[in-house]
Amino acid sequence: MIPDLDIDLLRCLVAVVDAGGFTRAGERVHRTQSTVSQQIQRLEAAVGKPLLLREGRKVSPTDEGERLLAYARRILSLHDEARALVGATPGQPLLRLGITEDFASRHLTEVLARFARERGGARLDVRCDLSVVLRGEIERGELDVILVKQEPGERGGIATWRDPVHWVAAREAAPLDQAPLPLAVYPQGCIYRNRAIHALEKAGRAWRLAYTSPSLAGLQAAIASGIGIGPLGATALRPDHCVLGPESGLPPLPEAELVLHRARSARGAAVEALLEAMRAALDQETAQLGRNAA
């Protein structure tokens, strides 16, 4: 029987996958690189299976690692929420923010960290998940603010931004000659996934699911290794990726939108300050993407 899993070990696993390596993960959890490596070894020993693939400086989760990673994120979210609530100062507002993981990996995390430092009277509880999941949580009153993807022109939200989507493959060897075409995508419910499959179906191009993961880091690694191609936003591209243009023969992918929603019950100066910080960050990022595309 597998023993109880240590919270610190799970936190190290999430940090390594999100950071893409042990050194940067150590910076996130305030541990040395060797300590993080030892923590992962302890976790692997506890579950009796390898959780990470190590290829030089590259680190990616195994199939078992991917499965445990999803649970680790949920466990850590509940753990941190409970700890924050128990240790909260009376009157200190709790802001519950939901964002999809590809947004969390952008410099938006730096904006949120700065907000938390500057607004000492407010506490942030940030959750990452698919847009469809976050929409359900804000409707149930479980979140105050969400930043999610939507189809262009959908109603609702307090601010929207353009979200260009590209077909992305490995820079070294794009598997375009395979039939059916292997795809690396988020789980069912993701707008990017739905758009990609719909475009291929409309174009009469056969496809298959080669890699499915809720983790952006996992998708980025799968695409870079040549397991499959997939739809990614411009800010999710890595140096070992390449954008597939019209010459690839793939159908074009229409833009999506980013939309910021606020729950009806979310009021107060702290909420307004958070919304303003997020608006400013996304305005800046959208402007930069426009300059890069020009």
Side-chain angles (χ1 to χ4, degrees):
M1 178 180 294
I2 295 177
D4 290 344
L5 300 179
D6 188 287
I7 288 288
D8 288 338
L9 303 187
L10 295 177
R11 198 177 299 279
C12 281
L13 174 65
V14 171
V16 170
V17 173
D18 287 351
F22 290 90
T23 301
R24 284 180 291 177
E27 296 172 354
R28 295 191 178 193
V29 297
H30 308 292
R31 301 280 197 280
T32 64
Q33 181 271 337
S34 60
T35 298
V36 172
S37 180
Q38 292 171 6
Q39 296 282 67
I40 295 299
Q41 290 174 9
R42 286 179 55 196
L43 184 58
E44 290 178 326
V47 301
K49 296 177 181 178
L51 301 173
L52 296 175
L53 296 173
R54 303 163 178 83
E55 299 177 1
R57 294 185 177 181
K58 294 182 180 180
V59 178
S60 59
T62 63
D63 290 344
E64 291 294 338
E66 283 284 1
R67 282 191 280 272
L68 180 58
L69 185 67
Y71 286 101
R73 294 189 192 281
R74 292 162 58 187
I75 291 169
L76 291 173
S77 176
L78 289 172
H79 172 270
D80 293 346
E81 180 179 347
R83 187 175 61 179
L85 288 173
V86 172
T89 300
Q92 189 180 36
L94 172 65
L95 302 181
R96 302 166 300 172
L97 171 65
I99 51 180
T100 58
E101 189 181 358
D102 41 355
F103 300 157
S105 69
R106 304 177 182 185
H107 71 267
L108 185 60
T109 51
E110 300 173 6
V111 173
L112 297 177
R114 185 166 61 249
F115 173 86
R117 291 193 300 269
E118 294 175 352
R119 302 285 303 192
R123 295 173 297 119
L124 274 178
D125 173 9
V126 184
R127 309 182 195 180
C128 297
D129 215 319
L130 293 176
S131 296
V132 65
V133 175
L134 298 177
R135 285 177 179 273
E137 292 184 347
I138 198 171
E139 290 173 359
R140 294 191 297 271
E142 298 171 7
L143 292 172
D144 301 309
V145 176
I146 59 172
L147 180 63
V148 294
K149 307 166 190 172
Q150 71 175 17
E151 297 290 352
E154 284 189 24
R155 301 181 63 180
I158 60 176
T160 59
W161 295 266
R162 294 173 55 249
D163 186 24
V165 185
H166 307 285
W167 286 113
V168 180
R171 180 166 294 280
E172 297 300 326
L176 294 177
D177 57 345
Q178 297 184 29
L181 187 69
L183 298 182
V185 291
Y186 283 113
Q188 182 64 43
C190 173
I191 287 179
Y192 288 177
R193 168 183 169 142
N194 295 343
R195 283 172 168 262
I197 291 176
H198 178 74
L200 291 174
E201 293 279 2
K202 188 175 180 180
R205 184 73 181 266
W207 57 273
R208 65 179 177 86
L209 295 178
Y211 191 95
T212 302
S213 170
S215 164
L216 174 63
L219 289 183
Q220 289 172 319
I223 291 172
S225 66
I227 291 177
I229 69 168
L232 291 179
T235 56
L237 300 178
R238 301 192 334 187
D240 47 3
H241 291 162
C242 70
V243 173
L244 302 173
E247 71 283 353
S248 67
L250 293 172
L253 293 173
E255 289 184 344
E257 283 183 349
L258 313 183
V259 60
L260 192 60
H261 287 272
R262 174 174 60 186
R264 293 180 180 178
S265 59
R267 295 290 184 269
V271 173
E272 295 299 333
L274 174 61
L275 292 172
E276 182 57 34
M278 295 181 67
R279 282 195 192 100
L282 287 159
D283 284 344
Q284 179 181 358
E285 183 168 292
T286 302
Q288 183 62 50
L289 286 176
R291 288 191 293 269
N292 293 342

